[in-house]
């Protein structure tokens, strides 16, 4: 640790008034993307090693059914700091590092006909109008400090504007800048030695803070960068786990296993520090994760991890995306080494920590979460239903449409928002006690329970004022099908299907459609063949795009065309040559207003036919 860092800490905090020793310290450790099956706390991994999380659990309570309010990071982080659900704040996506500032969620009234729902614009910053947990502690005289990932906005939306007196490394991005292992790319924050690991550095900074503030209460927010992308780790740890890999286990990335160990090592560093400083008995420690494990990126030739037996992962509302590890240490109150299967969620931490520290909310302050102190004292707490909300659809495996979930006891209602008949919601029901993998929808077998939980969901969406996409009044199922196959009408035409034929109605000359190919066509001498019938004569012009070639969309200079006579069914062929794989076509129907019906569209390459459209 460099002296200049310590001097900053001393300057900020040693001059502050000291509160009564009865005020407990708070250390909140938040992992990034650590799944429920990524630790040794739940008996679901044979690869990862988390002995320090076991040490932590031996001092406190492990929650078996802890949930995040969202399957992605920024929304969950906002819910921890505000006690408010992302459905209420509108901060529902991890886009707080993007340039656009939007503090009010909105949904459009209409969309193109190939979209079932309208577009949705979420909030992109944590609005300073919400009183954060840090601001509440700061008002009570606590020293407040943030280390690690933030991802809720750059200045003026950084930790320094949300109640934290110190923020290291003062970074707004979704992961560590550049890499975990130095050299890093943080602005104004450099490594202390070659190959320094960012998690080790954050742990060192946190310990230095505790050393400088051991005689006064503090709120230390240590939000780890681990185990989010980019996927890199200490070389010696990667080699360690390479020797432990079972190729038949879904958890088989040595790099990710090494990242988990660095996360765990720095949990141990926190425990060692509170013990050495003699403040363990007056320090509450919370360990939690912001969402489930990553099941869609690739590292070491596999996915980073697996959430089995849970279904899905980060980025969707299956339990693999929202059920996470959770441990709370509260010396003198929580029975060491205890477990609890009461439902808790990320909005519960704010009101719980207030009660645990003997503080009150600000006047008129309300929470979507509740205090789970009864559970922390060892009772089976029925805190009522909990909810998740994710009005987006990602491209991750096993993805869902925009959705929300309600949990009550062992029951889960999964609502697909406006995904049912005529734009109605579609409700699915799962008994998690018997079906932890959410494979069997029993809504039809449990109509009364489904209706009752659907009512809870209705009340939640109404109470929070949740905004999400609306049914699109312009929606056309055929347009959606065409869009799914890659076809899209553009200038001056409509595109439909009639009796298996692709029907192009030209409202003006030079109308065209585009076709984005699911699989690129290899380069060479090619032909585009069409079988069509037109209302009158004209010609067809072809443009195409090639992978890695600019202009990136269509190569206007390589335009080829062919005439058609109209009136009768006929075939026409347009030859062209591509130097790189062809990724899309633009077909211009250069004819006066009228109608063209295409029954067959194919690309030919070296005698091979690649069907692009075929009437049944």
């Amino acid at each position: 640790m460099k002296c200049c860092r310590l001097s900053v800490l001393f300057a900020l905090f040693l001059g502050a008034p000291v509160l009564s020793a009865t005020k407990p310290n708070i250390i909140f450790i938040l992992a990034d993307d650590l799944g429920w099956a990524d630790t040794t706390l739940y008996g679901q991994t044979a690869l990862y090693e988390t002995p320090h999380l076991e040490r932590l659990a031996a001092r406190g309570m492990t929650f078996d059914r802890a949930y995040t309010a969202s399957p992605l990071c920024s929304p969950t982080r906002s819910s921890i700091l505000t006690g408010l659900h992302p459905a209420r704040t509108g901060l529902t996506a991890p886009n707080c590092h993007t340039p656009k500032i939007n503090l009010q969620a909105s949904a459009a009234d209409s969309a193109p006909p190939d979209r079932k729902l309208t577009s949705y614009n979420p909030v992109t910053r944590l609005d300073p109008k919400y009183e954060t947990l840090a601001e509440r502690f700061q008002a009570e005289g606590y020293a407040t400090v943030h280390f690690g990932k933030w991802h809720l906005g750059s200045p003026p939306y950084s930790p320094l504007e949300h109640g934290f007196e110190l923020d290291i490394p003062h970074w707004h991005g979704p992961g560590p800048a550049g890499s975990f292992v130095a050299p890093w790319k943080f602005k104004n924050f450099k490594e202390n030695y070659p190959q320094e690991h960012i998690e080790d550095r954050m742990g060192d900074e946190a310990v230095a803070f505790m050393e400088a503030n051991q005689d006064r209460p503090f709120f230390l927010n240590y939000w780890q960068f681990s185990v989010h992308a980019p996927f890199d780790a200490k070389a010696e740890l990667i080699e360690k786990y390479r020797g432990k890999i079972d190729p038949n286990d879904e958890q088989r990335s040595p790099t990710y296993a090494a990242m988990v160990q660095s996360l765990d090592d720095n949990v141990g560093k926190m425990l060692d520090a509170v013990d050495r400083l003699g403040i363990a008995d007056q320090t509450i420690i919370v360990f939690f994760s912001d969402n489930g494990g990553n099941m869609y990126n690739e590292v070491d030739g596999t996915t980073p991890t697996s959430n089995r037996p849970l279904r899905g992962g980060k980025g969707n509302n299956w339990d693999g995306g929202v059920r996470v590890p959770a441990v709370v240490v509260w010396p003198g109150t929580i029975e060491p080494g205890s477990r609890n299967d009461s439902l808790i969620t990320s909005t519960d931490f704010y009101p719980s920590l207030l009660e645990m520290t003997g503080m009150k909310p600000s006047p008129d302050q309300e929470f979507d979460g509740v205090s789970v102190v009864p559970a922390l004292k060892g009772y089976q707490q029925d805190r009522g239903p909990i909810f998740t909300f994710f009005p987006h659809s990602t491209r991750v495996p096993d993805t869902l449409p925009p959705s929300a979930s309600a949990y009550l006891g062992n029951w889960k209602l999964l609502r697909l928002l406006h995904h049912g008949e005529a734009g109605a919601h579609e409700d699915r029901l799962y008994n998690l006690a018997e079906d932890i993998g959410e494979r069997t929808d029993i809504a039809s077998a449990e109509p009364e329970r489904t209706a009752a939980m659907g009512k809870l969901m209705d009340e939640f969406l109404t109470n929070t004022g949740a905004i999400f996409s609306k049914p699109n009044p312009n929606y056309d199922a055929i347009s959606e099908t065409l869009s799914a196959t890659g076809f899209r009408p553009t200038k001056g035409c409509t595109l439909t299907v009639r009796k298996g034929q692709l029907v192009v109605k030209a409202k003006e000359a030079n109308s065209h459609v585009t076709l984005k190919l699911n699989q690129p066509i290899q380069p060479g001498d090619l032909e585009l063949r069409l079988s069509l019938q037109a209302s009158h004569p004209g010609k067809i012009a072809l443009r195409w795009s090639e992978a890695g070639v600019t202009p990136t969309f269509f190569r206007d200079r390589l335009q080829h065309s062919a005439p058609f006579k109209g009136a009768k069914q006929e075939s026409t062929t347009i030859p062209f040559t591509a130097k790189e794989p062809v990724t899309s076509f633009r077909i211009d129907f250069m004819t006066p207003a009228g109608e063209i019906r295409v029954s067959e569209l194919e690309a030919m390459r070296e005698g091979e036919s690649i069907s692009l459209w075929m009437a049944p």
Side-chain angles (χ1 to χ4, degrees):
M1 184 62 58
K2 292 185 176 180
C3 293
C4 63
R5 178 62 59 202
L6 286 173
S7 65
V8 171
L9 292 167
F10 275 102
L12 279 171
F13 298 111
L14 289 187
V18 177
L19 297 186
S20 167
T22 60
K23 290 285 187 181
N25 305 310
I26 310 294
I27 299 176
F28 199 116
I29 307 172
L30 182 68
D32 192 4
D33 291 359
L34 187 75
W36 180 76
D38 285 352
T39 76
T40 51
L41 298 176
Y42 303 99
Q44 300 297 329
T45 181
L47 175 61
Y48 310 142
E49 298 179 10
T50 55
H52 299 296
L53 281 174
E54 292 181 29
R55 284 176 61 198
L56 186 72
R59 301 182 182 207
M61 176 176 287
T62 301
F63 282 90
D64 293 322
R65 295 197 300 157
Y67 285 86
T68 59
S70 166
L72 285 176
C73 60
S74 298
T76 297
R77 291 163 185 268
S78 72
S79 71
I80 292 170
L81 283 179
T82 65
L84 300 175
H85 207 284
R88 185 180 302 279
T89 63
L91 204 164
T92 60
N95 55 2
C96 295
H97 60 287
T98 59
K100 182 179 179 182
I101 298 176
N102 179 34
L103 299 180
Q104 177 61 54
S106 63
D109 293 325
S110 62
D114 63 324
R115 300 179 187 175
K116 200 169 187 177
L117 301 178
T118 63
S119 62
Y120 167 70
N121 297 309
V123 166
T124 63
R125 302 289 189 272
L126 179 58
D127 196 324
K129 71 180 181 182
Y130 303 116
E131 184 178 43
T132 67
L133 195 53
E135 289 171 317
R136 194 76 204 91
F137 277 116
Q138 188 180 53
E140 295 291 330
Y142 274 70
T144 57
V145 60
H146 177 84
F147 297 106
K149 177 171 172 174
W150 175 246
H151 207 196
L152 291 171
S154 55
Y157 304 96
S158 79
L160 300 180
E161 289 82 37
H162 283 289
F164 293 100
E165 300 163 49
L166 181 67
D167 175 31
I168 299 174
H170 198 51
W171 176 245
H172 64 282
S179 64
F180 277 86
V181 179
W184 308 316
K185 296 181 180 178
F186 295 104
K187 185 178 181 180
N188 302 322
F189 187 74
K190 303 300 180 184
E191 60 271 20
N192 280 333
Y193 54 86
Q195 301 295 299
E196 185 177 19
H197 193 285
I198 187 61
E199 214 60 77
D200 291 344
R201 178 63 174 276
M202 292 299 97
D204 289 344
E205 295 282 358
V207 169
F209 167 79
M210 286 189 277
E211 290 172 343
N213 292 272
Q214 56 186 296
D215 296 326
R216 58 188 303 263
F218 57 77
F219 173 48
L220 192 163
N221 212 42
Y222 175 21
W223 285 5
Q224 297 186 321
F225 288 108
S226 302
V227 286
H228 192 281
F231 300 102
D232 69 324
K234 298 176 182 178
E236 65 272 18
L237 292 183
I238 295 175
E239 288 307 309
K240 167 187 172 179
Y241 286 100
R242 202 180 302 279
K244 291 187 61 177
I245 295 300
D246 177 355
N248 297 315
D249 193 330
E250 293 175 275
Q251 292 180 334
R252 56 180 183 269
S253 166
T255 300
Y256 189 83
M259 296 173 73
V260 171
Q261 178 167 335
S262 288
L263 175 153
D264 186 72
D265 285 346
N266 284 282
V267 172
K269 189 179 292 183
M270 300 299 102
L271 295 178
D272 292 343
V274 297
D275 289 347
R276 177 171 52 82
L277 296 173
I279 59 173
D281 289 343
Q282 63 195 68
T283 302
I284 294 167
I285 305 175
V286 177
F287 180 85
F288 196 62
S289 180
D290 61 0
N291 51 249
N294 184 321
M295 293 277 286
Y296 59 86
N297 282 132
E298 182 177 333
V299 56
D300 299 327
T302 183
T303 56
T305 191
S306 171
N307 298 300
R308 79 287 186 274
L310 306 181
R311 184 173 180 179
K314 173 183 177 179
N316 60 46
N317 251 334
W318 299 115
D319 260 32
V322 291
R323 186 171 177 175
V324 295
V327 179
V328 180
V329 174
W330 186 8
T333 301
I334 287 179
E335 181 184 353
S338 59
R339 301 185 79 96
N340 197 306
D341 65 356
S342 300
L343 286 172
I344 67 168
T345 186
S346 52
T347 56
D348 293 340
F349 288 115
Y350 197 148
S352 299
L353 287 170
L354 289 186
E355 183 173 352
M356 293 162 73
T357 54
M359 296 194 302
K360 301 292 184 182
S362 294
D364 302 323
Q365 188 174 14
E366 297 182 355
F367 301 115
D368 290 312
V370 303
S371 172
V372 293
V373 163
L376 295 172
K377 291 182 176 180
Y379 298 101
Q380 185 67 27
Q381 182 177 354
D382 180 6
R383 48 91 65 231
I386 65 171
F387 301 91
T388 69
F389 181 69
F390 191 59
H392 309 274
S393 184
T394 58
R395 296 182 180 180
V396 303
D398 212 1
T399 192
L400 288 165
S403 62
S405 295
Y407 293 81
L408 189 64
N410 290 315
W411 297 93
K412 175 180 180 177
L413 181 90
L414 176 62
R415 172 166 291 181
L416 307 185
L417 300 166
H418 295 306
H419 192 69
E421 292 288 332
H425 300 312
E426 177 185 334
D427 286 347
R428 302 178 183 178
L429 186 69
Y430 300 93
N431 182 347
L432 298 178
E434 300 176 359
D435 180 23
I436 193 172
E438 300 174 88
R439 298 295 175 183
T440 305
D441 172 17
I442 56 175
S444 60
E446 294 271 358
E448 293 183 2
R449 191 181 302 275
T450 302
M453 293 194 67
K455 184 177 180 181
L456 292 175
M457 177 67 75
D458 291 338
E459 292 171 352
F460 163 74
L461 295 174
T462 299
N463 177 262
T464 57
I467 296 175
F468 46 92
S469 298
K470 308 171 185 177
N472 177 18
N474 301 325
Y475 172 68
D476 174 70
I478 292 176
S479 296
E480 183 183 35
T481 300
L482 289 169
S483 180
T485 58
F487 286 96
R488 185 180 294 274
T490 53
K491 181 181 177 182
C493 72
T494 60
L495 193 60
T496 57
V497 177
R498 187 188 310 150
K499 296 181 179 180
Q501 293 181 314
L502 196 63
V503 180
V504 183
K505 286 189 176 181
K507 299 177 182 180
E508 57 186 71
N510 302 325
S511 60
H512 58 268
V513 300
T514 60
L515 171 58
K516 184 176 181 180
L517 301 174
N518 292 325
Q519 293 292 332
I521 298 173
Q522 293 306 304
D525 294 329
L526 305 166
E527 292 181 346
L528 188 72
R529 294 184 179 180
L530 300 92
S531 179
L532 57 87
Q533 185 174 358
S535 57
H536 29 332
K539 68 176 180 177
I540 296 176
L542 173 66
R543 306 175 187 179
W544 66 95
S545 62
E546 299 178 14
V549 177
T550 56
T552 57
F553 203 65
F554 295 110
R555 303 187 65 187
D556 293 340
R557 289 174 294 178
L558 295 179
Q559 186 177 137
H560 294 62
S561 63
F564 56 85
K565 297 178 181 179
K568 297 181 179 181
Q569 189 77 22
E570 59 186 295
S571 297
T572 186
T573 300
I574 306 174
F576 66 103
T577 300
K579 295 182 179 181
E580 301 293 338
V582 177
T583 56
S584 59
F585 292 111
R586 167 175 156 171
I587 306 172
D588 291 60
F589 295 95
M590 304 180 70
T591 180
E595 181 178 286
I596 299 173
R597 286 170 286 172
V598 179
S599 56
E600 187 174 355
L601 178 65
E602 61 181 343
M604 301 295 297
R605 180 184 179 278
E606 298 179 354
E608 177 189 7
S609 173
I610 303 166
S611 180
L612 305 174
W613 179 267
M614 179 72 71

